């Protein structure tokens, strides 16, 4: 299947270019967040680095990147050329994701850098990434540089990784995600059993053994500590994480956001979930066993359900943007699912738990306990403070999670690609051709 990768990649690039051309022909004015980003980028292109729109919430990484590409390729800073920049990062995504997948699978990357794997092309077509690759948004460039950060770190190039992490400044929390190679022996002082054989007591043993390995990893942490220190200085100077429009982006303790992400990831990633060696029946049986297979498991499921019910009751946020902006699909999901009846959010709890176990089982095939838990732990400071249910916030965590499923067979990759393609075709068609007067265009 790998020999077909260049064909897949060429088709991916050609379709992407055609879609961008169509977007520029149909959507001739900046849309949604673009009226903020485009003028700011144009100010930077003019050399005006002191003007700043106070409504912009992210650091200026995208604008600086745009200026660099402008000078390298002699680009203009009009809307069409600025939209080309996210497209360039979109077509580069399969190349970076290939390295990430090879790391997780313990395989050698292709000899040619320009030969991505078919699975990487499919993951780059993930609907949230693909859609925002045609608008002047920060999502796809941030995703690319986060992946470059991780792949550089896995190769031991920690200063390069820190540099890429600093560039992806709009997603700084993901700079912390760094893990050992799958199948690699854990540090001898660290308690880290295989994920699928570990029990609750192993978590406490791993935590207790962690101080013994601090000195072993401290040297490699130096480059990242400088970036994190700079980030801490910025937070203190800025008075918070959000750069602008702070009144509408107040950090919150939004625990249900984690549940939404698990459901979101399962809805989009079901082909990878059901394609394990034991099939869908085996997966369901394993999930049932981990939820109800013993008295201890039943007790854990019951306590987790109670805790989740309390957090849903106490920490669910009905954000005014979510309730008012009917140009986003989440507006309709929220109103037609979560607000259908007060009991609905609580009825979803068993599903959240089952989905979490499904991902734990699938990524735990070739990982240790801590390798399985690192991404969820470091996703917490990214998702918990975000008060708005927004699919874009799930983009980077999803790609990093899905990349850890190492045994997706070819037929499942094809199914996943078709699934993504259907969603992409539908959402882009609605965006381009189903504009509603007085409402606008629908998007993620």
């Amino acid at each position: 299947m790998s020999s077909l990768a260049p064909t897949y990649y060429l088709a991916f690039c050609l379709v992407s270019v055609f879609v961008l051309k169509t977007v520029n022909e149909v959507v001739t004015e900046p849309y949604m967040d673009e009226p903020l980003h485009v003028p700011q980028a144009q100010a930077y292109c003019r050399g005006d680095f002191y003007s700043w729109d106070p409504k912009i919430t992210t650091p200026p990484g995208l604008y600086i990147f745009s200026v660099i590409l402008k000078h390298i390729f002699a680009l203009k800073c009009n809307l069409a050329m600025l939209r080309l920049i996210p497209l360039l990062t979109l077509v580069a995504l399969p190349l970076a994701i290939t390295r990430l997948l090879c790391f997780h699978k313990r395989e050698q990357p292709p000899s040619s850098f320009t030969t991505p794997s078919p699975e990487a092309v499919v993951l780059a077509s993930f609907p949230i990434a693909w859609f925002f690759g045609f608008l002047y948004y920060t999502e796809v460039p941030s995703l690319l540089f986060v992946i470059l950060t991780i792949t550089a770190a896995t190769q031991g190039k920690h200063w390069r990784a820190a540099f890429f992490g600093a560039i992806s400044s709009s997603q700084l929390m993901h700079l912390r995600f760094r893990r050992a190679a799958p199948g690699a022996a854990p540090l001898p002082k660290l308690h880290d059993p295989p994920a699928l054989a570990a029990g609750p007591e192993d978590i406490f043993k791993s935590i207790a053994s962690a101080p013994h390995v601090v000195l072993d990893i401290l040297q490699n942490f130096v480059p990242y500590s400088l970036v994190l220190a700079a980030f801490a200085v910025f937070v203190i100077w800025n008075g918070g994480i959000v750069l602008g429009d702070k009144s509408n982006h107040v950090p919150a303790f939004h625990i249900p956001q984690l549940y939404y992400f698990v459901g979101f990831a399962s809805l989009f990633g079901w082909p990878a979930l059901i394609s394990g060696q034991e099939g869908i029946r085996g997966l369901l049986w394993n999930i049932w066993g981990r939820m109800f297979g013993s008295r201890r498991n039943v007790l854990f499921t019951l306590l987790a359900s109670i805790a989740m019910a309390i957090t849903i009751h106490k920490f669910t946020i009905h954000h005014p943007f979510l309730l008012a902006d009917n140009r986003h699909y989440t507006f309709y999901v929220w109103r037609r699912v979560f607000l259908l009846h007060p009991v609905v959010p609580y009825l979803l709890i068993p599903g959240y738990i089952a989905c979490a176990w499904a991902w734990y089982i699938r990524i735990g095939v070739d990982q240790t306990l801590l390798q399985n838990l690192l991404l969820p732990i470091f996703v917490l400071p990214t998702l918990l403070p975000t008060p708005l249910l927004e699919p874009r916030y799930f983009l980077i965590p999803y790609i990093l999670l899905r990349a850890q499923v190492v045994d997706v067979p070819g037929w499942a990759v094809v199914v996943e690609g078709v699934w993504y393609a259907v969603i992409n075709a539908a959402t882009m068609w609605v965006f381009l051709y189903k504009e509603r007067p007085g409402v606008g265009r629908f998007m993620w």
Side-chain angles (χ1 to χ4, degrees):
M1 194 171 184
S2 296
S3 61
L4 298 177
T7 303
Y8 277 85
Y9 186 47
L10 179 61
F12 175 82
C13 294
L14 291 177
V15 170
S16 299
V17 170
F18 173 77
V19 172
L20 178 63
K21 178 178 179 293
T22 306
V23 169
N24 284 332
E25 291 173 349
V26 176
V27 188
T28 57
E29 297 294 330
Y31 188 72
M32 197 62 73
D33 287 359
E34 285 185 325
L36 299 177
H37 295 308
V38 170
Q40 188 63 58
Q42 291 172 337
Y44 274 46
C45 287
R46 295 192 302 268
D48 182 5
F49 298 101
Y50 297 98
S51 297
W52 185 260
D53 188 333
K55 293 184 179 180
I56 294 176
T57 61
T58 56
L62 177 62
Y63 317 131
I64 296 173
F65 187 50
S66 301
V67 172
I68 293 173
L69 292 183
K70 170 184 179 292
H71 288 290
I72 293 176
F73 298 106
L75 298 176
K76 297 180 179 180
C77 277
N78 55 31
L79 178 61
M81 290 298 101
L82 289 175
R83 284 177 176 167
L84 179 63
I85 293 170
L87 177 72
L88 293 175
T89 58
L90 178 65
V91 298
L93 260 186
L95 308 176
I97 293 177
T98 295
R99 270 63 191 169
L100 183 63
L101 291 172
C102 289
F103 164 69
H104 286 297
K105 296 180 180 183
R106 287 179 289 164
E107 298 176 351
Q108 286 293 328
S111 56
S112 172
F113 180 76
T114 58
T115 306
S117 69
E119 187 174 358
V121 174
V122 168
L123 285 185
S125 304
F126 177 62
I128 309 302
W130 190 82
F131 185 91
F132 287 104
F134 308 108
L135 298 175
Y136 193 64
Y137 275 56
T138 63
E139 272 64 35
V140 180
S142 293
L143 172 61
L144 175 64
F145 280 103
V146 166
I147 294 176
L148 291 176
T149 299
I150 295 172
T151 54
T154 60
Q155 297 168 1
K157 300 173 182 178
H158 300 291
W159 287 100
R160 181 186 299 179
F163 172 74
F164 285 140
I167 293 177
S168 60
S169 53
S170 62
Q171 299 288 348
L172 276 166
M173 291 299 181
H174 288 284
L175 180 61
R176 305 181 191 180
F177 179 68
R178 165 72 174 96
R179 38 157 293 180
L187 295 172
K189 301 174 186 177
L190 185 66
H191 179 79
D192 193 14
L196 299 186
E201 66 280 357
D202 290 301
I203 296 177
F204 298 102
K205 292 179 180 179
S206 296
I207 294 174
S209 66
H212 301 297
V213 300
V214 171
L215 293 179
D216 296 326
I217 64 175
L218 197 57
Q219 181 177 358
N220 291 336
F221 186 71
V222 171
Y224 312 109
S225 66
L226 297 178
V227 179
L228 292 175
F231 177 59
V233 170
F234 163 77
V235 171
I236 295 173
W237 169 80
N238 187 56
I241 296 176
V242 178
L243 194 60
D245 198 19
K246 297 178 183 178
S247 61
N248 288 318
H249 296 82
V250 178
F253 194 56
H254 195 190
I255 297 178
Q257 189 83 300
L258 305 176
Y259 314 151
Y260 307 149
F261 169 67
V262 170
F264 169 92
S266 301
L267 176 65
F268 283 93
W270 63 266
L273 289 178
I274 68 171
S275 61
Q277 293 183 356
E278 298 179 351
I280 185 171
R281 289 186 178 182
L283 177 66
L284 293 175
W285 182 253
N286 283 335
I287 293 171
W288 179 268
R290 288 181 178 270
M291 292 179 68
F292 307 111
S294 67
R295 291 183 178 180
R296 185 181 70 174
N297 291 358
V298 171
L299 178 61
F300 175 82
T301 301
L302 178 61
L303 292 176
S305 299
I306 293 173
M308 292 171 70
I310 293 172
T311 57
I312 289 173
H313 176 70
K314 293 287 188 181
F315 299 106
T316 294
I317 298 176
H318 301 275
H319 198 282
F321 286 3
L322 181 61
L323 298 173
D325 195 343
N326 59 354
R327 296 169 297 176
H328 295 285
Y329 296 114
T330 48
F331 171 88
Y332 302 95
V333 171
W334 192 256
R335 286 187 173 272
R336 296 178 182 180
V337 178
F338 292 95
L339 296 184
L340 180 65
H341 190 279
V343 76
V344 168
Y346 303 95
L347 294 178
L348 295 174
I349 289 174
Y352 294 142
I353 297 175
C355 290
W357 276 123
W359 283 106
Y360 183 89
I361 292 167
R362 290 296 286 122
I363 69 175
V365 171
D366 193 30
Q367 296 193 143
T368 65
L369 173 64
L370 292 181
Q371 288 172 343
N372 250 30
L373 295 181
L374 270 181
L375 178 60
I377 290 172
F378 290 127
V379 159
L380 291 178
T382 303
L383 295 183
L384 277 182
T386 55
L388 179 63
L389 174 57
E390 170 62 77
R392 289 182 293 163
Y393 299 154
F394 300 152
L395 171 58
I396 293 177
Y398 176 82
I399 295 296
L400 298 185
L401 177 66
R402 169 58 184 82
Q404 293 182 63
V405 184
V406 297
D407 59 345
V408 181
W411 67 264
V413 173
V414 172
V415 171
E416 187 177 26
V418 172
W419 172 234
Y420 290 169
V422 169
I423 297 173
N424 288 336
T427 52
M428 186 55 68
W429 180 79
V430 169
F431 177 71
L432 292 176
Y433 303 115
K434 297 298 290 184
E435 181 180 10
R436 288 174 57 185
V439 176
R441 302 181 185 275
F442 294 96
M443 60 189 297
W444 291 108

